[in-house]
Amino acid sequence: MTAEEIEKLGAWCAAAGVSEIELAEAGFSLRLHIQFGNAEPYATVSEAPNAEAVFKGVRAPGVGVFRLVHPTTGHPVVERGQPVRKGETVGVLQVGTCLKAVVAPADGALGDPLAEDGAVVGYGTPLYELM
């Protein structure tokens, strides 16, 4: 990873409110810890949404660049309205040269993407609704 990629990763994490991330590859490991000063916590237990308000769909499994088109094949990973099964890959999250599969949490059909191809997303960002 280059110094520029590490800086971008740190900026993405800070923007998403992620305070710590660790990456490891053969011969390489990186751990970033970001301090936010005296910021208030994002939510407390009493502020948790009720069960009806919880998003039911596909969320980002981490921080990175969301890809609707697979970077190595140039083909869309899935199409809108396509039926998917739990655990099936529906997108790709890219961090530098690393790719992580975005998988469907349940069976269903995919709605329109909620994030554009190439958008920087944070952990838990809604990516697709499941119908």
Side-chain angles (χ1 to χ4, degrees), residues 13-89:
C13 289
V18 174
S19 62
E20 194 168 309
I21 187 169
E22 187 170 343
L23 302 171
E25 292 181 309
F28 173 80
S29 66
L30 172 70
R31 183 176 186 194
L32 294 177
H33 180 79
I34 300 159
Q35 294 180 324
F36 293 103
N38 295 332
E40 291 291 318
Y42 288 101
T44 64
V45 175
S46 63
E47 296 171 359
N50 62 28
E52 292 77 33
V54 175
F55 174 74
K56 291 182 174 57
V58 180
R59 292 183 177 271
V63 176
V65 177
F66 180 54
R67 297 291 181 193
L68 296 166
V69 175
H70 198 284
T72 60
T73 66
H75 296 25
V77 179
V78 292
E79 298 292 335
R80 182 194 181 282
Q82 176 179 330
V84 294
R85 294 227 174 264
K86 180 179 180 177
E88 186 176 340
T89 301

Side-chain angles (χ1 to χ4, degrees), residues 73-124:
T73 66
H75 296 25
V77 179
V78 292
E79 298 292 335
R80 182 194 181 282
Q82 176 179 330
V84 294
R85 294 227 174 264
K86 180 179 180 177
E88 186 176 340
T89 301
V90 296
V92 178
L93 204 61
Q94 183 176 6
V95 178
T97 58
C98 299
L99 301 176
K100 180 175 182 139
V102 176
V103 298
D107 294 351
L110 290 180
D112 287 326
L114 301 175
E116 294 183 24
D117 184 60
V120 176
V121 296
Y123 176 80

